[in-house]
Amino acid sequence: MSLGALGSLLAALVVLLVGALLNRRVRLLSKYNIPDPITGGLLFAALASVAAALSFRLNIDQTLKPVLLLMFFAGVGMSADLRQLARGGRAMLVFLLVLFPYILVQDAVGVAMARLLDLHPIFGVVAGSITLVGGHGTGAAYAERFAEVNNLQAVMELTMTVATIGLIIGGIIGGPVAEYLITRYKLQAAPVARAEAQELAEVQPLTTVGLVGALAGILAAVVGGQWLAAQFPGGVITIPTFLWCMMLGVAIRNLAPFARLRFDDRASDLVAGVCLSLFLVMTMMALDLIQVALSAGPFLAIIAVQVLFIVLYAVLVCFRFMGRDYEAAVTSAAFIGFNMGSTATAMANMQAITAKYGPAPQSYLIVPLAGAFFIDLMNALVLTLVLALPFVGG
């Protein structure tokens, strides 16, 4: 059975509502800030996987997913007041300095575990930054190369499996880590950011005009971002489409006041949040969990060790170097999200935490920028070095 685009959208909305209901009813889920799309999407994926095993398969149309992701990043840009976020430059540098060594650690852990399990070392890199940092796209590119050059069997299937497991885990463990840090150190959102958000909510309610204006600005950023990406498809550094959309969103938000136009940041946040939630829940709904579990095999042991290392690194290194404050806790949850899954997972982790504890404007700036192309550049450099080692790529 196949659902069309609208049917799939309706199904995603229902699954998202179920996830939100479960997170509010089940204390363990709410306590550890599990994102609603992860809860609802995993439940649906589990039920759909069982149904598929019984010869009933439901296909979800994925047509809207790319647009939803672009709208989310455009919405992030539309919420960015550069007057407040200009202070994030130093934090971005520190975050990148924290991030680069971890990519090396992740590949070292993967290769060491692969050798311990008597697997080809390349499989350790597959269960390292190729899939966990790079995601499905980077994983597919390298898997094709490994199949041709190294003659590794079933490497594409295993690569997609590890990337999928990482996506799930990244959305599950980021919230509990942030909860531990916030509770352990009694952290709170910055009074200024919290006061501004509360004051705006009390003084002026969200209106239809405000929501329509934000939606128009977001769609303008998406259309313009797609056009710019098509005009500049290559170069020394390829700027992904979603970053173009985000930058245009920032430009629209911060230049509009000069034309006597005002956008409601709450409306932009609302549209962006809805788009991100729908994108993630549709991603989770398409998973075949039984096939993922059957394909994983010894890679589950490697991933388990990767989880241990990333939690320790996030708590002992990322949190401490980022300032040991509330923003650092939120950034640490995002660090886990896109080092185990994707930038969207990182943003979902932050969304769940800030909805509960208050805004983290600095984190919302540096994380998508780092996830946009800095991390891919660093990952490419690390992978080039690691695969050049004779005991790995030879």
Side-chain angles (χ1 to χ4, degrees), residues 47-69:
L47 295 176
S49 298
V50 172
L54 299 175
S55 300
F56 177 80
R57 183 173 295 276
L58 180 62
N59 296 315
I60 304 297
D61 190 295
Q62 304 285 306
T63 304
L64 294 175
K65 268 184 56 181
V67 177
L68 291 170
L69 186 63

Side-chain angles (χ1 to χ4, degrees), residues 22-284:
L22 287 174
N23 279 350
R24 284 148 184 76
R25 294 289 180 86
V26 180
R27 185 175 180 276
L28 187 66
L29 297 176
S30 61
K31 178 180 179 181
Y32 291 110
N33 310 307
I34 307 300
D36 296 340
I38 301 296
T39 301
L42 274 180
L43 176 61
F44 179 91
L47 295 176
S49 298
V50 172
L54 299 175
S55 300
F56 177 80
R57 183 173 295 276
L58 180 62
N59 296 315
I60 304 297
D61 190 295
Q62 304 285 306
T63 304
L64 294 175
K65 268 184 56 181
V67 177
L68 291 170
L69 186 63
L70 295 181
M71 289 182 66
F72 161 68
F73 280 104
V76 171
M78 285 284 295
S79 303
D81 186 343
L82 292 181
R83 292 172 301 176
Q84 297 179 6
L85 299 176
R87 297 167 292 180
R90 179 181 176 276
M92 169 64 80
L93 178 60
V94 174
F95 188 58
L96 294 177
L97 291 175
V98 168
L99 182 58
F100 186 78
Y102 179 73
I103 301 175
L104 290 167
V105 170
Q106 195 170 64
D107 283 330
V109 169
V111 171
M113 285 297 297
R115 294 175 71 88
L116 184 65
L117 296 170
D118 198 27
L119 297 172
H120 194 293
I122 282 182
F123 283 122
V125 188
V126 167
S129 69
I130 283 180
T131 54
L132 299 182
V133 172
H136 290 81
T138 302
Y142 276 95
E144 187 173 338
R145 167 187 163 185
F146 295 151
E148 294 176 358
V149 177
N150 303 91
N151 195 29
L152 297 178
Q153 301 299 313
V155 66
M156 180 64 76
E157 292 80 0
L158 290 170
T159 298
M160 294 300 99
T161 296
V162 174
T164 299
I165 294 174
L167 183 71
I168 296 170
I169 293 176
I172 292 176
I173 65 174
V177 169
E179 181 70 26
Y180 163 75
L181 293 171
I182 291 170
T183 304
R184 171 71 175 80
Y185 296 101
K186 299 180 174 58
L187 305 175
Q188 294 182 340
V192 173
R194 184 186 290 273
E196 287 178 352
Q198 184 175 357
E199 181 182 356
L200 184 60
E202 290 177 351
V203 172
Q204 187 176 11
L206 186 62
T207 65
T208 301
V209 172
L211 187 61
V212 170
L215 183 59
I218 288 171
L219 289 176
V222 170
V223 172
Q226 289 177 318
W227 182 82
L228 286 170
Q231 304 308 306
F232 305 98
V236 178
I237 297 178
T238 300
I239 299 178
T241 305
F242 74 83
L243 184 57
W244 281 117
C245 295
M246 180 177 166
M247 291 190 298
L248 279 181
V250 172
I252 292 172
R253 163 65 176 79
N254 290 275
L255 294 177
F258 293 101
R260 299 185 182 278
L261 294 175
R262 298 284 178 181
F263 289 99
D264 191 330
D265 291 347
R266 295 169 303 162
S268 299
D269 287 337
L270 179 61
V271 174
V274 170
C275 291
L276 175 63
S277 295
L278 288 173
F279 170 82
L280 274 178
V281 80
M282 293 179 79
T283 299
M284 302 301 293

Side-chain angles (χ1 to χ4, degrees), residues 85-100 243 246 321-322 331 338 361-375 378:
L85 299 176
R87 297 167 292 180
R90 179 181 176 276
M92 169 64 80
L93 178 60
V94 174
F95 188 58
L96 294 177
L97 291 175
V98 168
L99 182 58
F100 186 78
L243 184 57
M246 180 177 166
F321 277 87
M322 292 305 298
T331 303
F338 70 56
Q362 179 177 277
S363 300
Y364 266 79
L365 174 69
I366 66 174
V367 168
L369 284 177
F373 61 99
F374 285 120
I375 192 169
M378 290 189 291

